[in-house]
Amino acid sequence: MPSETPWAYVFIRLLFRFVLKIFYGTIVVEGASNIPKTGQPCIVCANHSNSLTDALMLVTTIPPKQRNFIRLTAKATLFGKRTFTSWLIENAGTVPIARKKDYAAGESVDNTETMDKLKTAVEDGDAICLFPEGLSRYHPSVAPLKSGVARLISEVLTRNRNNPSFEISLQNCSVTYMHREHFRSDVLVTFHPPLTFSPKTHPELLEPVDFNDVRRLTAQMAEQITSGTFDSPSWDLTRVSKLAARMYAPLGTRMTLGDYVRVVRTFIEAFKTAESATIASAAGSDRDEAAHMSDDEKMSAETTELARLREDLRAYQDELARLGIKDDRIRRRPLARRTLLGRMILRLTWAVCLFTLSLPGLLLWTPVFITTVYAVHEFKKTGPIFDTFDEIAQYKLVYGFVSGLCVWFGATALSFPFSLVTFMLVPALMWMTLRWFEDAVSALRAFTALTRLLLVGKTTLRRMHWRRDGLHERVMKLAIETLGLPPDPYQYFLHNGGKEKGRVRGRWEMGSRYFSIKRRRKRDWNESLRLYDVVDYPKEDGQ
């Protein structure tokens, strides 16, 4: 029989569903119907790029009607501490896993008891959650998966080899953060079709097992997980691929977040192929130098063009960053000075109105912002980027939640004898303030962009426009002729895109949904609550 749902797990699910929806602007879930029902032995696996936030994301996005309880795992060093985080994970049925990196050299690490507990839980019909990368890190690529999950499946099948009806499902999941650490950015959670195993259908996984079969299963997991997220060898490649995706499907294309991620990933895979071919060609050229064979003879014309396009896109993005303008502003011909000034006045007026409307609520948000900014600033000092930036979202969630509760209950206590009204009014005011403040920042961001266009001047804008036209033609040729993407992205995604959160059809729905209390509809999946769009990433030492 599957385990009963711990009360702390229900509390965490409800609490952080609320907290995550505040921190992230849009959380889109795909394929939730693929998740095996409660009572079916199941292992849930996902990529791991955002520390404890990844586990919370899975807990809150897996529908309770599909699985009432997911048994989580966490590093053993999080247990036994007098912290809110430690208390939560211990009371939610989480299983501790010891990692060698967390202990002194030569100190033994034994997870035998933990693994036995996980095997028993799966056999009883529970779902357990594992992150086969083994650790979380701030990196653009998915780390090579460890073979532990495949070996666990093999051991469970072997223990039930005499039960012909026993089946275990492997539910792989891809979690894609547009900007994992930024407030009001977006998240895509994709649940892939599960892989099902039984002693009868997969006898090769019964002990004694050939480790090549374990490797093949691990490779199959990696292929499915990486197929739904960005898997880039460098931040630069991610940056260039996002630019190519924006050129192919510019602002105004009504794409779902899932469609956007898949388009960007398509460009990433294409540029990765060109990069690998270039490296291989260079190595071959060194070996065959005596034969006087040039790189062009080693590389196909298509690969050469891909490499050149990537370099040209990088240079173009660098120039945009230097000028402080966006590609979308270059897409159209330069606007007349009178038109720019008129739009600037309109955007600034709208921003001032929304900021004025937000002021009462911003007084409540100010302690929350100050607390989280200070906590994150101090935390960043504790280590290098790759080992700290993956925990920033976690710190913001916890400190923002605690400080928000202090503001809520503090305002309620100070407003006595009207505390009951204040208790209901404060969270409503803070939520609507956040909506107004987002729109105010968006309007101010547009005003800033228009100001920069005015300062850059028509000559430079015209030169950048011609340069973009050439790049756009090459990107469209790559997208349509090589990558097989639709030739008219606007019409294709308008009529074939999913009807899900983060996407609207038509002007009437776009206008009416503005007043929805559930979310703010974004025009650009690259947005966050900042005065600028995030197009660059922090660089690791030596990268």
Side-chain angles (χ1 to χ4, degrees):
M1 291 291 293
S3 302
E4 294 292 330
T5 309
W7 68 268
Y9 181 89
V10 177
F11 172 70
I12 288 174
R13 185 168 58 201
L14 292 174
L15 172 65
F16 281 98
R17 182 177 295 169
F18 169 74
V19 174
L20 286 169
K21 283 187 176 181
I22 291 178
F23 185 79
Y24 290 110
T26 305
I27 301 175
V28 176
V29 181
E30 294 183 330
S33 60
N34 289 324
I35 303 169
K37 298 283 188 180
T38 297
Q40 299 178 27
C42 180
I43 300 177
V44 178
C45 294
N47 53 306
H48 199 18
S49 63
N50 209 6
S51 192
L52 287 178
T53 307
D54 291 329
L56 295 174
M57 190 64 65
L58 292 177
V59 166
T60 56
T61 55
I62 292 178
K65 65 180 180 181
Q66 296 287 114
R67 301 296 312 198
N68 66 319
F69 173 46
I70 308 294
R71 190 174 293 279
L72 301 172
T73 56
K75 57 184 179 182
T77 52
L78 292 174
F79 291 74
K81 296 182 177 180
R82 294 182 177 180
T83 63
F84 178 66
T85 301
S86 181
W87 176 83
L88 278 180
I89 63 176
E90 288 178 10
N91 286 277
T94 307
V95 178
I97 293 183
R99 306 186 305 174
K100 288 184 179 180
K101 65 171 290 186
D102 296 325
Y103 297 88
E107 189 174 352
S108 62
V109 174
D110 186 9
N111 284 310
T112 303
E113 184 179 346
T114 296
M115 298 309 293
D116 287 339
K117 185 180 293 187
L118 293 177
K119 294 172 194 174
T120 302
V122 170
E123 291 171 337
D124 290 341
D126 281 351
I128 64 173
C129 179
L130 297 170
F131 295 99
E133 288 179 84
L135 74 163
S136 173
R137 59 179 185 153
Y138 191 86
H139 200 268
S141 67
V142 177
L145 304 192
K146 299 183 183 300
S147 61
V149 173
R151 287 188 282 111
L152 178 61
I153 292 174
S154 173
E155 291 171 10
V156 171
L157 289 178
T158 300
R159 285 167 50 139
N160 293 271
R161 68 193 313 160
N162 296 323
N163 182 358
S165 62
F166 180 82
E167 286 187 345
I168 180 172
S169 296
L170 176 59
Q171 177 62 69
N172 290 318
C173 173
S174 303
V175 184
T176 308
Y177 300 90
M178 295 301 99
H179 301 288
R180 71 195 82 176
E181 75 276 20
H182 290 325
F183 191 38
R184 304 303 289 170
S185 59
D186 305 305
V187 188
L188 173 69
V189 183
T190 302
F191 294 100
H192 302 284
L195 306 175
T196 305
F197 305 88
S198 70
K200 182 178 180 180
T201 58
H202 292 80
E204 73 279 4
L205 294 178
L206 300 178
E207 296 180 354
V209 62
D210 186 342
F211 197 68
N212 288 325
D213 293 316
V214 172
R215 288 195 186 96
R216 275 191 286 271
L217 176 53
T218 304
Q220 188 177 7
M221 292 171 52
E223 182 180 0
Q224 197 172 52
I225 290 173
T226 56
S227 70
T229 189
F230 303 148
D231 182 30
S232 171
S234 67
W235 290 118
D236 177 72
L237 186 57
T238 303
R239 177 178 181 251
V240 168
S241 299
K242 284 190 173 184
L243 174 60
R246 286 196 297 274
M247 284 189 169
Y248 166 72
L251 194 66
T253 305
R254 295 172 188 165
M255 304 174 71
T256 65
L257 182 55
D259 287 333
Y260 173 74
V261 168
R262 283 182 283 274
V263 169
V264 174
R265 184 186 178 279
T266 300
F267 282 106
I268 288 176
E269 293 302 310
F271 290 129
K272 277 170 61 176
T273 302
E275 185 176 79
S276 300
T278 302
I279 294 173
S281 175
S285 179
D286 290 340
R287 289 192 300 268
D288 299 331
E289 188 174 356
H292 304 288
M293 297 181 70
S294 67
D295 285 346
D296 285 342
E297 291 172 314
K298 292 285 186 179
M299 297 167 60
S300 67
E302 181 179 292
T303 302
T304 305
E305 171 56 24
L306 270 174
R308 289 174 179 167
L309 177 58
R310 176 183 170 180
E311 292 302 317
D312 291 344
L313 286 171
R314 179 198 289 122
Y316 173 69
Q317 181 63 69
D318 289 343
E319 182 70 7
L320 289 178
R322 187 185 68 81
L323 295 173
I325 54 181
K326 293 172 56 178
D327 172 70
D328 183 67
R329 301 291 179 178
I330 304 296
R331 180 161 58 105
R332 301 178 180 88
R333 293 190 177 279
L335 297 173
R337 179 178 293 269
R338 180 181 300 177
T339 303
L340 281 174
L341 289 173
R343 293 185 180 184
M344 288 169 59
I345 292 172
L346 181 64
R347 299 293 191 277
L348 183 60
T349 302
W350 182 231
V352 170
C353 290
L354 288 172
F355 274 123
T356 303
L357 191 62
S358 304
L359 278 177
L362 286 177
L363 295 176
L364 298 172
W365 275 106
T366 298
V368 179
F369 292 153
I370 292 176
T371 302
T372 53
V373 168
Y374 177 77
V376 169
H377 176 73
E378 292 300 307
F379 175 68
K380 285 180 179 180
K381 299 177 182 178
T382 62
I385 286 174
F386 65 86
D387 201 32
T388 54
F389 268 52
D390 63 313
E391 296 187 47
I392 289 178
Q394 168 190 324
Y395 267 73
K396 288 182 177 180
L397 286 171
V398 173
Y399 281 90
F401 170 67
V402 173
S403 56
L405 284 181
C406 292
V407 169
W408 185 11
F409 291 120
T412 301
L414 292 173
S415 61
F416 184 83
F418 305 103
S419 297
L420 183 60
V421 175
T422 308
F423 185 81
M424 303 295 294
L425 184 61
V426 166
L429 177 60
M430 291 182 74
W431 174 248
M432 289 311 300
T433 296
L434 183 60
R435 288 288 309 280
W436 294 327
F437 188 58
E438 275 192 285
D439 282 342
V441 170
S442 178
L444 191 58
R445 186 165 56 231
F447 169 78
T448 304
L450 291 169
T451 303
R452 287 170 177 164
L453 288 180
L454 194 64
L455 295 176
V456 165
K458 280 191 175 182
T459 303
T460 301
L461 289 177
R462 192 174 293 111
R463 173 176 57 82
M464 293 295 291
H465 175 74
W466 290 337
R467 185 176 178 182
R468 186 196 185 278
D469 277 349
L471 287 171
H472 177 260
E473 183 178 348
R474 293 162 66 189
V475 166
M476 294 302 292
K477 182 179 179 180
L478 168 65
I480 299 168
E481 297 182 8
T482 304
L483 305 181
L485 293 174
D488 187 347
Y490 183 85
Q491 291 297 325
Y492 176 82
F493 292 114
L494 177 65
H495 296 292
N496 297 282
K499 179 80 163 147
E500 62 190 40
K501 185 176 182 180
R503 182 180 187 276
V504 295
R505 295 177 186 269
R507 292 186 177 275
W508 167 252
E509 186 176 6
M510 183 166 56
S512 62
R513 291 292 290 276
Y514 173 81
F515 297 98
S516 168
I517 64 172
K518 293 182 180 180
R519 61 156 180 83
R520 170 182 176 268
R521 191 194 73 83
K522 294 185 176 181
R523 299 182 66 203
D524 186 354
W525 292 118
N526 203 45
E527 280 187 31
S528 63
L529 192 58
R530 287 173 172 251
L531 289 175
Y532 58 89
D533 289 322
V534 183
V535 294
D536 291 312
Y537 301 89
K539 294 183 179 180
E540 299 177 12
D541 294 338
Q543 184 175 351

